[in-house]
């Protein structure tokens, strides 16, 4: 049907498919990345209306400068003791990651995920929260468990799916759970924890409690519908919740452009929902701590939710099943202009005169020894694939509070099969 | 005792539980000030305050996701999904989260939520106000699925569902909110007040989950049904004086296998009736269970009367709906030689 408004002389439309700047083999040049001066960002009052802090979402809160000094209004002015604990915890996390990654390579478990380069986004953030605040992590915030004193051996038992595994061998390695430490059970389904965190915060508020919730997801996961639902609910109910987006530039092989980063920042999404938002140097532990404290105080005083974008870099593979050399330049990690969170805090502490390279070496060695020892201990409880660590009934338990008839029948079947499959 | 229709019974069930347990919270689209598009939550916000019964944004994944988070805090949320046809955006939260929480955390976190949702057809609801998606949930390990067919059961089952520590899908057959529907669409529906099942205790009582109800005893054929179809089946067997045993399953998961087995072993015949589409519907599971457990007692093939495998149509509603003609034909096929 001819339409008189048809304009056949228009140029053809084109579909834009984002493309990262650097692919394997490319020389990396980050010189056009906008990294503001440390200390140059204003620190709004915690009761500032979201619409009055929209400049913050394109800026970047930074505390540690190029000389490893803490500068500007966001300096949390923490005691040496707290900073040393922060450093120690981040080193523990990195050592644990390296060692457990190696266990996977040795066939002792099926899977592992490191958080190398992102330790501050969980460790410094968790240190700025109260122990009874509820955390809804993704799979890359193992640092929270270290901050809260979760026994390392329980983590290894879970990774080995052995007889001491608290999750009874049901979960993929690293999908930890600790109700005792207010660490919500990690799900494989991305961003489902976001609306859950908001619901938890709504419950806390409705009960007149003083506890708040914090959620973490990656920048790739912000594309999920649950992110939008969570932001809407958080804004509508003024929920006492901190929404952390760990923007590590990569979602497996997809660069952040596939989550929308070519057009705007992730913090800027907060403004659209009427949620206060901060964009933070995620490799600056002091900035992460300061931003989290600010958001926590805001939530605790009924001023509502905060979105924090932690600008960082996923230094290693997505998981043990991933090879990043297939899709990104190996140079990216070395050239990353925000450096490494552990190195930056270490240099800051040395500059403060409370730490030294020798002490760092000793700490590294001590942490490695502790992890090695723990892995050895945990292996006594069994490793994946070596023996049947859980009674077959455990497979059928906890589907429901009480086992219904059909699961009882199936459990019986599994036990019968046992005799045939694995004769004793 | 009071006389209630199904909506009033559900409202009374919610009120009873809100009174008894401070952790019971109601949330959903239009459930607060307005009292729900079907009036199921009428008056509750006024009685219990806005933090106990409140409106939500139009986001099913948000409603169910937030409810799961509330469970982690220790609340007992009763979210409403306005129509079962609109539950799909919340499926990830139901299947991947609510259903798996207890299992994946080895009991550290649980999801004692009850998702209420009006379902079923027969009301000229067209494609998106008539669906019966129960099989999408009966297939998920960790979820319970409950469907009442009378005001008495609706309140008792709802209270039992809210008190249950596992996530429950509570589907309300909206066709029978006001009175039992026999499938004779030209006849006016008699209000619940004319039936004994409208006698509902005002206080707390439960109808246990996982227990079927034999609504009519007989020994010629076992008819398995739930929701609106219980009334349609009853009307057909009564009209044709078929000596059928009609069983209202009430809970689909876990299903009351004992009652089913006992009945089919007695009758030797089985008809399964549901509104939902046929292929991979819950009827297939029932048929398989009966075949596996009652094979040597069966005197005829198990029959299924269901909705057709099409989206729910608008103008051809009564051609689609598994009404008296389709049920009678199936019954005659099974009980031909027994028909008086």
């Amino acid at each position: 049907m001819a339409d008189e408004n048809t304009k056949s002389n228009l140029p053809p439309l084109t579909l834009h498919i984002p493309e990262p700047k650097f692919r394997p083999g490319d020389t990396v040049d980050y010189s056009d990345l906008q990294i503001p001066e440390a200390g140059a960002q204003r620190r709004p009052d915690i009761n500032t209306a979201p619409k009055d802090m929209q400049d913050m979402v394109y800026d970047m809160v930074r505390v540690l400068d190029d000389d490893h000094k803490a500068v500007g209004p966001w300096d949390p002015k923490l005691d040496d003791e707290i900073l040393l604990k922060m450093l120690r915890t981040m080193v523990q996390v990195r050592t644990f990651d390296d060692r457990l990654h190696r266990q996977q390579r040795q066939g002792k478990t099926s899977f592992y995920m490191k958080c190398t380069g992102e330790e501050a986004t969980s460790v410094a953030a968790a240190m700025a929260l109260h122990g009874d605040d509820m955390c809804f992590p993704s799979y890359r915030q193992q640092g929270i468990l270290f901050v809260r004193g979760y026994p390392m051996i329980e983590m290894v038992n879970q990774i080995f799916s052995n007889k001491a595994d608290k999750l009874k061998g049901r979960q993929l390695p690293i999908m930890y759970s600790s109700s005792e430490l207010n660490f919500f059970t990690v799900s494989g389904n991305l961003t489902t924890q976001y609306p859950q965190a908001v619901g938890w915060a709504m419950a806390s508020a409705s009960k007149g409690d003083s506890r708040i919730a914090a959620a973490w997801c990656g920048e790739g996961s912000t594309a999920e519908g649950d992110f939008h639902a969570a932001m809407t609910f958080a804004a509508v109910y003024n929920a006492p919740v901190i929404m952390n987006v760990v923007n590590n530039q990569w979602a497996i092989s997809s660069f952040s452009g596939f989550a929308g980063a070519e057009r705007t920042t992730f913090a800027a999404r907060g403004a659209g929902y009427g949620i206060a938002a901060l964009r933070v140097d995620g490799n600056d532990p002091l900035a992460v701590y300061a931003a989290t404290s600010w958001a926590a105080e805001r939530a605790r005083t009924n001023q509502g939710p905060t979105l924090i974008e932690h600008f960082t870099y996923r230094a290693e593979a997505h998981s043990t099943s991933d090879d990043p050399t297939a899709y990104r330049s190996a140079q990216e990690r070395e050239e990353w202009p925000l450096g490494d969170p552990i190195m930056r805090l270490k240099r800051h502490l040395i500059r403060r005169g409370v730490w030294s390279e020798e002490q760092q070496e000793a700490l590294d060695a001590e942490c490695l020894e502790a992890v090695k020892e723990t892995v050895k201990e945990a292996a006594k409880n069994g490793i994946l694939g070596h023996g049947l660590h859980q009674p077959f009934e455990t497979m059928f338990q906890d589907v429901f509070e009480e086992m219904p008839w059909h699961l009882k029948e199936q459990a019986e079947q599994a036990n019968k099969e046992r005799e045939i499959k694995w004769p004793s | 005792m009071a006389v209630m229709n199904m909506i009033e019974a559900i409202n009374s069930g919610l009120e009873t539980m809100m009174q008894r347990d401070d952790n019971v919270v109601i949330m959903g689209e239009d459930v607060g000030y307005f009292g729900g598009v079907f009036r199921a939550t009428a008056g509750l916000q006024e009685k219990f305050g806005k933090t106990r019964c409140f409106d939500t944004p139009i986001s099913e994944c948000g409603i169910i996701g937030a409810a799961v988070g509330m469970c982690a805090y220790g609340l007992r949320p009763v979210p409403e999904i306005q129509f079962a046809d609109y539950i799909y955006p919340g499926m990830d939260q139901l299947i991947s989260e609510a259903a798996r929480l207890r299992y994946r955390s080895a009991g550290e976190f649980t999801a004692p939520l009850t998702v209420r949702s009006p379902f079923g057809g027969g009301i000229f609801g067209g494609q998106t106000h008539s669906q019966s998606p129960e099989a999408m949930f009966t297939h998920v390990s960790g979820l319970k699925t409950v469907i009442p067919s009378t005001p008495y059961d609706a309140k008792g089952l709802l209270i039992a569902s809210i008190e249950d520590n596992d996530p429950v899908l509570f589907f309300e057959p909206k066709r029978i909110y006001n009175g039992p529907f026999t499938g004779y669409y030209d006849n006016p529906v008699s209000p619940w007040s004319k039936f004994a099942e409208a006698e509902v205790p005002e206080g707390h009582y439960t109808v246990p989950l996982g227990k079927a109800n034999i609504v009519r005893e007989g020994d010629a054929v076992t008819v398995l049904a739930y929701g609106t179809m219980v009334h349609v089946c009853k009307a057909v067997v009564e009209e044709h004086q078929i000596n059928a045993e009609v069983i209202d399953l009430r809970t689909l998961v876990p299903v009351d296998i004992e009652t089913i087995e006992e009945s089919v072993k007695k009758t030797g015949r089985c008809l399964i009736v549901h509104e939902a589409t046929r292929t991979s519907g819950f009827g297939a599971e029932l048929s398989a269970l009966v075949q596996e457990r009652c094979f040597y007692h069966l005197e005829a093939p198990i029959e299924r009367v269901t909705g057709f495998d099409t989206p729910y149509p608008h103008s051809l509603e009564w051609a689609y709906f598994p009404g008296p003609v389709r049920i009678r034909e199936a019954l005659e096929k099974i009980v031909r030689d027994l028909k008086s």
Side-chain angles (χ1 to χ4, degrees):
Chain A
M1 192 163 48
D3 181 341
E4 58 190 40
N5 291 325
T6 302
K7 292 204 171 67
S8 57
N9 59 344
L10 284 173
L13 293 165
T14 58
L15 178 66
H16 174 67
I17 309 291
E19 183 60 32
K21 287 212 175 78
F22 318 111
R23 285 296 194 187
D26 288 349
T27 305
V28 172
D29 177 8
Y30 281 127
S31 56
D32 61 343
L33 202 64
Q34 303 269 317
I35 306 293
E37 280 293 298
Q41 300 73 38
R42 71 188 177 103
R43 187 180 187 281
D45 284 342
I46 55 146
N47 57 5
T48 304
K51 69 177 169 51
D52 294 330
M53 48 183 294
Q54 292 190 21
D55 54 314
M56 307 293 300
V57 305
Y58 301 108
D59 204 332
M60 196 183 290
V61 172
R62 304 185 70 220
V63 173
L64 291 173
D65 70 8
D66 293 344
D67 297 325
H68 321 301
K69 232 171 43 203
V71 294
W74 284 93
D75 177 6
K77 302 213 170 12
L78 296 173
D79 294 343
D80 296 339
E81 207 180 309
I82 290 175
L83 290 174
L84 286 167
K85 185 195 167 189
M86 194 182 280
L87 179 71
R88 165 178 285 270
T89 311
M90 290 201 293
V91 171
Q92 282 172 339
V93 174
R94 184 165 298 178
T95 314
F96 185 86
D97 275 358
D98 285 340
R99 202 72 196 169
L100 272 296
H101 180 271
R102 198 187 294 197
Q103 303 304 304
Q104 191 276 340
R105 289 294 186 249
Q106 291 173 3
K108 289 185 189 162
T109 189
S110 61
F111 184 73
Y112 193 75
M113 292 177 117
K114 295 175 161 188
C115 67
T116 312
E118 303 170 37
E119 290 88 349
T121 63
S122 59
V123 171
M127 284 182 70
L129 296 172
H130 296 171
D132 58 0
D133 291 334
M134 186 72 189
C135 294
F136 290 80
S138 81
Y139 46 69
R140 228 185 282 279
Q141 280 81 46
Q142 51 267 55
I144 300 167
L145 287 171
F146 281 87
V147 170
R148 295 192 167 180
Y150 193 65
M152 205 156 46
I153 191 158
E154 301 292 5
M155 299 175 77
V156 185
N157 286 334
Q158 197 278 329
I159 291 164
F160 286 172
S161 264
N162 61 26
K163 68 174 184 229
D165 174 10
K166 286 196 158 170
L167 304 184
K168 304 184 181 178
R170 290 178 187 148
Q171 265 284 41
L172 196 68
I174 69 134
M175 307 244 173
Y176 312 108
S177 172
S178 175
S179 59
E180 203 188 337
L181 296 178
N182 301 301
F183 182 95
F184 190 69
T185 157
V186 178
S187 169
N189 295 64
L190 299 179
T191 334
T192 49
Q193 73 276 15
Y194 248 57
Q196 292 163 0
V198 176
W200 192 98
M202 289 167 67
S204 181
S206 77
K207 286 286 186 181
D209 199 342
S210 60
R211 292 177 291 162
I212 64 170
W216 282 258
C217 78
E219 91 287 347
S221 305
T222 63
E224 293 284 3
D226 276 359
F227 178 81
H228 169 65
M231 295 298 282
T232 304
F233 274 59
V236 166
Y237 300 106
N238 205 41
V241 60
I242 305 172
M243 328 285 273
N244 294 287
V245 174
V246 181
N247 176 7
N248 67 12
Q249 316 301 322
W250 291 92
I252 308 187
S253 76
S254 306
F255 87 114
S256 57
F258 282 98
E262 286 183 326
R263 317 276 163 185
T264 186
T265 68
F266 294 95
R269 309 218 155 155
Y273 293 97
I275 289 178
L278 297 170
R279 191 159 174 264
V280 174
D281 176 351
N283 288 13
D284 178 343
L286 297 188
V288 170
Y289 186 100
T292 309
S293 302
W294 186 89
E297 201 185 335
R298 192 176 168 88
R300 265 185 243 291
T301 52
N302 278 313
Q303 326 251 5
T306 303
L307 173 70
I308 303 176
E309 174 186 350
H310 302 269
F311 196 72
T312 182
Y313 186 75
R314 195 193 79 211
E316 302 222 353
H318 164 71
S319 72
T320 48
S321 308
D322 175 48
D323 173 16
T325 65
Y327 51 79
R328 70 183 190 186
S329 173
Q331 234 193 337
E332 278 192 14
R333 177 183 181 170
E334 299 146 40
E335 298 291 326
W336 184 246
L338 297 174
D340 175 89
I342 294 179
M343 290 305 120
R344 284 172 71 186
L345 184 56
K346 179 189 86 173
R347 287 173 190 139
H348 172 63
L349 284 164
I350 290 173
R351 195 197 155 94
R352 273 165 90 120
V354 296
W355 197 240
S356 66
E357 289 291 355
E358 294 72 36
Q359 281 170 303
Q360 181 70 37
E361 268 175 46
L363 174 65
D364 289 347
E366 183 200 322
C367 288
L368 179 60
E369 200 44 48
V371 177
K372 274 176 158 177
E373 213 34 61
T374 305
V375 168
K376 226 187 275 173
E377 269 312 297
K380 288 182 191 161
N381 299 319
I383 56 171
L384 187 71
H386 288 224
L388 305 167
H389 303 304
Q390 279 83 28
F392 285 16
E393 282 80 3
T394 57
M395 176 161 58
F396 302 92
Q397 289 159 351
D398 297 328
V399 176
F400 296 101
E401 185 176 39
E402 279 167 38
M403 205 185 290
W405 66 269
H406 60 287
L407 287 180
K408 282 185 189 153
E409 282 189 2
Q410 291 166 30
E412 206 175 303
Q413 180 190 348
N415 274 320
K416 264 193 212 150
E417 284 176 19
R418 181 177 193 142
E419 308 293 319
I420 304 165
K421 291 180 185 165
W422 297 280
S424 46
Chain B
M1 286 283 190
V3 173
M4 299 184 196
N5 64 26
M6 200 186 265
I7 280 289
E8 289 160 345
I10 287 161
N11 185 271
S12 168
L14 292 171
E15 189 187 339
T16 303
M17 283 313 294
M18 289 179 89
Q19 204 87 58
R20 274 172 82 94
D21 185 348
D22 285 345
N23 290 325
V24 172
V25 168
I26 289 168
M27 59 199 284
E29 296 156 19
D30 305 296
V31 305
Y33 182 85
F34 179 57
V37 295
F38 290 104
R39 317 306 302 148
T41 56
L44 297 177
Q45 184 177 82
E46 209 180 353
K47 226 167 274 174
F48 296 97
K50 286 185 190 170
T51 57
R52 299 282 309 279
C53 175
F54 56 87
D55 293 315
T56 64
I58 303 172
S59 169
E60 288 75 17
C61 72
I63 292 168
I64 296 172
V68 170
M70 290 173 173
C71 289
Y73 183 89
L75 301 190
R76 206 171 270 277
V78 189
E80 177 185 297
I81 299 298
Q82 203 160 73
F83 287 85
D85 316 62
Y86 301 131
I87 204 164
Y88 309 122
M91 291 282 268
D92 190 33
Q93 285 288 347
L94 278 168
I95 295 172
S96 311
E97 300 296 315
R100 305 280 150 82
L101 223 51
R102 180 190 295 278
Y103 192 73
R104 78 167 191 241
S105 70
E108 282 196 344
F109 296 95
T110 59
L113 56 88
T114 302
V115 181
R116 285 183 45 247
S117 191
F119 98 128
I123 53 142
F124 279 100
Q127 291 186 30
T128 56
H129 297 81
S130 307
Q131 295 168 33
S132 300
E134 65 274 18
M136 307 252 178
F137 300 96
T138 56
H139 187 57
V140 177
S141 55
L143 294 180
K144 292 180 177 172
T145 304
V146 175
I147 300 171
S149 71
T150 66
Y152 180 89
D153 280 359
K155 180 173 173 182
L157 286 168
L158 179 60
I159 291 175
S161 299
I162 295 171
E163 289 178 341
D164 196 278
N165 289 325
D166 292 312
V168 178
L169 271 301
F170 191 85
F171 287 122
E172 302 164 4
K174 55 188 171 295
R175 172 73 246 202
I176 55 172
Y177 269 156
N178 295 315
F181 175 64
T182 57
Y184 291 95
Y185 50 87
D186 286 336
N187 298 348
V189 169
S190 302
W192 275 114
S193 56
K194 299 206 169 146
F195 298 85
E197 296 94 327
E199 293 279 318
V200 176
E202 299 198 49
H204 177 274
Y205 70 96
T206 59
V207 172
L209 305 188
K211 290 270 174 254
N213 184 24
I214 300 173
V215 296
R216 184 186 190 280
E217 289 195 20
D219 49 28
V221 55
T222 299
V223 178
L224 302 178
Y226 48 89
T228 302
M229 300 319 294
V230 172
H231 303 287
V232 183
C233 292
K234 232 168 70 179
V236 173
V237 299
E238 265 153 27
E239 188 194 355
H240 298 281
Q241 294 175 346
I242 296 166
N243 188 17
E245 182 144 289
V246 180
I247 299 180
D248 176 1
L249 295 175
R250 297 199 289 203
T251 302
L252 304 192
V253 175
V255 78
D256 183 352
I257 195 67
E258 277 176 32
T259 301
I260 295 172
E261 221 177 303
E262 201 179 307
S263 176
V264 178
K265 282 181 177 167
K266 176 177 72 176
T267 63
R269 292 169 158 83
C270 183
L271 172 70
I272 296 157
V273 185
H274 61 58
E275 279 185 71
T277 49
R278 168 172 292 233
T279 303
S280 302
F282 191 65
E285 181 62 30
L286 289 171
S287 175
L289 285 171
V290 169
Q291 188 274 142
E292 287 159 4
R293 285 161 191 267
C294 310
F295 183 74
Y296 294 106
H297 294 81
L298 286 174
E299 290 167 39
I302 303 159
E303 286 288 321
R304 279 183 288 161
V305 166
T306 68
F308 294 127
D309 282 336
T310 70
Y312 207 108
H314 187 243
S315 70
L316 292 175
E317 169 121 71
W318 300 120
Y320 176 92
F321 189 87
V325 172
R326 204 176 304 157
I327 294 170
R328 188 193 62 216
E329 294 284 312
L331 278 169
E332 278 186 3
K333 205 165 145 195
I334 308 177
V335 296
R336 192 182 299 136
D337 51 325
L338 296 175
K339 209 188 156 202
S340 52

